[in-house]
């Protein structure tokens, strides 16, 4: 395969992917990787654009990973828009869209040794989605092994995922850089997410309470301790219509609850807007 493709190329098997990337490696091309579960939006596209600028060659994976869904209903409802995703990516040059089926990602003879994530997977999302992060680590590990990129791009909206991916990258010793990318927001402040496709215009209005609460915390930070502010922020959040799952102010590396304010605190929120589960966070 030529490394100067005019348009993005769709690949479905690990074998084809490996053949294509062989040429890239021989030519010492820098390969960037953007893992996704599809249903692409501008947030994903901003990661792809950044990867495109910083690498010779970019792989975007589109794979809805069943292993990371602890709720089968959520898995069933996860939006799948492959044709539209391909269309959105088709104008990028030197880009491979890797859209495998499950056997390609989890072959019978795969080599994966689960790791202890040092408790990072037990708090916040981990408390409400048991097994979720082990599923994420498994799929990202297998994708890294297949693609062996130089750089991999992850959005900060999934803050805990990013912390865990950094941890696992060090643990397995993958020779690649994890690049953290800012959360892209609608003009209103709503964080872009594939799940927003399931929200009505009214829902989107209601969901703004998440962003407003994060801003509330940032604004009031000087007046209260993290614990006091957590209580106030929960009260503020509950004036809106969403059902809160958790609101926590934690250290951005250990994800442990913050006792006092440090430069590296992050506030994380998960809530239901009707049946749609939304998460967001802000460094405060
Ligand atoms: O963030 C996501 O979309 C997924 O968790 C990822 C990293 C693609 C793994 O399935």
């Amino acid at each position: 395969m030529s490394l100067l493709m005019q348009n993005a190329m769709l690949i479905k098997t690990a074998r084809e992917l490996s053949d294509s990337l062989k040429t890239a490696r021989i030519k010492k091309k820098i390969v960037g990787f953007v893992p996704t579960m599809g249903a692409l939006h501008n947030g994903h596209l901003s990661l792809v654009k950044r990867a495109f600028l910083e690498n010779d060659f970019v792989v975007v994976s589109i794979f809805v990973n069943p292993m990371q869904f602890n709720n089968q209903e959520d898995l069933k409802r996860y939006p799948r828009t492959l044709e539209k995703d391909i269309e959105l990516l088709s104008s990028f040059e030197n880009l491979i869209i890797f859209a495998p089926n499950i056997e390609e990602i989890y072959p019978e003879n795969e080599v994966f040794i689960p790791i202890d994530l040092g408790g990072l997977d037990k708090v916040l999302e981990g408390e409400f989605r048991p097994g979720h992060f082990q599923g994420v680590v498994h799929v990202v590990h297998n994708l890294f092994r297949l693609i062996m990129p130089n750089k991999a791009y992850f959005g900060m909206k999934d803050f805990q995922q990013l912390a865990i991916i950094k941890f696992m990258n060090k643990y397995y010793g993958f020779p690649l850089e994890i690049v953290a990318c800012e959360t892209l927001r609608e003009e209103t402040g709503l964080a872009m997410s594939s799940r927003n496709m399931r929200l009505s215009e009214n829902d989107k209005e209601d969901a703004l309470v998440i962003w407003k609460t994060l801003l509330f915390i940032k604004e009031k930070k000087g007046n209260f301790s993290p614990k006091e502010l957590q209580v106030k922020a929960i009260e503020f959040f509950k004036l809106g219509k969403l059902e809160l799952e958790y609101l926590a102010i934690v250290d951005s590396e250990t994800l442990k609850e913050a006792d006092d304010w440090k430069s590296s605190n992050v506030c994380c929120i998960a809530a239901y807007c009707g049946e749609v589960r939304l998460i967001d966070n802000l460094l405060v």
Side-chain angles (χ1 to χ4, degrees), residues 41 185-212 241-242 272-274 276 278 280:
H41 50 72
R185 299 184 180 279
E186 307 286 355
E187 265 175 41
T188 57
L190 181 68
M192 291 191 187
S193 162
S194 304
R195 289 168 194 262
N196 294 357
M197 288 180 190
R198 293 172 54 203
L199 299 178
S200 68
E201 286 311 309
N202 277 348
D203 292 338
K204 285 187 184 168
E205 274 291 310
D206 295 344
L208 284 182
V209 69
I210 299 180
W211 178 234
K212 287 181 186 155
K241 293 191 184 151
L242 268 57
Y272 279 91
C273 182
V276 184
L278 299 172
D280 199 357

Side-chain angles (χ1 to χ4, degrees), residues 35-37 44 63 65 68 78 132 136 139-140 154 158 161:
T36 82
M37 296 207 297
H44 293 114
F63 177 67
N65 173 31
Q68 70 187 75
Y78 201 86
H132 166 68
V136 171
V139 76
V140 173
F154 291 85
D158 295 297
Q161 167 171 283

Side-chain angles (χ1 to χ4, degrees), residues 14-184:
R15 183 63 190 269
E16 279 174 280
L17 179 71
S18 149
D19 287 349
S20 311
L21 291 173
K22 222 177 268 160
T23 325
R25 281 191 199 103
I26 292 167
K27 296 196 174 175
K28 294 203 168 20
K29 298 282 181 191
I30 308 290
V31 177
F33 173 42
V34 183
T36 82
M37 296 207 297
L40 301 183
H41 50 72
N42 284 337
H44 293 114
L45 293 182
S46 72
L47 266 60
V48 176
K49 281 180 195 151
R50 178 156 175 199
F52 186 73
L53 289 176
E54 295 179 358
N55 299 273
D56 299 316
F57 203 64
V58 176
V59 179
V60 178
S61 65
I62 297 180
F63 177 67
V64 180
N65 173 31
M67 288 239 195
Q68 70 187 75
F69 286 82
N70 55 308
N71 176 336
Q72 288 312 297
E73 201 48 40
D74 198 21
L75 171 61
K76 222 161 69 190
R77 289 192 184 176
Y78 201 86
R80 289 158 174 86
T81 57
L82 185 60
E83 271 181 29
K84 191 165 160 247
D85 294 344
I86 294 172
E87 207 180 299
L88 284 172
L89 295 171
S90 62
S91 60
F92 287 94
E93 285 174 15
N94 290 342
L95 183 137
I96 288 178
I97 304 164
F98 180 47
N101 63 25
I102 190 154
E103 291 79 24
E104 302 292 328
I105 293 292
Y106 299 116
E108 269 175 27
N109 58 353
E110 66 160 334
V111 191
F112 172 72
I113 303 165
I115 58 167
D116 180 349
L117 294 167
L120 289 177
D121 57 332
K122 299 286 184 263
V123 294
L124 305 171
E125 289 296 283
E127 202 181 323
F128 294 90
R129 304 182 69 188
H132 166 68
F133 287 116
Q134 287 296 343
V136 171
V137 166
H138 194 162
V139 76
V140 173
H141 167 278
N142 289 11
L143 286 164
F144 280 1
R145 276 178 59 103
L146 283 176
I147 296 161
M148 289 194 279
N150 300 87
K151 294 180 183 190
Y153 295 77
F154 291 85
M156 286 173 69
K157 187 173 86 63
D158 295 297
F159 197 86
Q160 187 173 10
Q161 167 171 283
L162 179 63
I164 287 175
I165 297 296
K166 283 182 182 163
F167 180 96
M168 80 104 169
N169 192 45
K170 250 194 218 151
Y171 182 94
Y172 290 116
F174 287 115
L176 65 93
E177 183 192 339
I178 304 294
V179 184
C181 303
E182 291 283 335
T183 303
L184 226 70

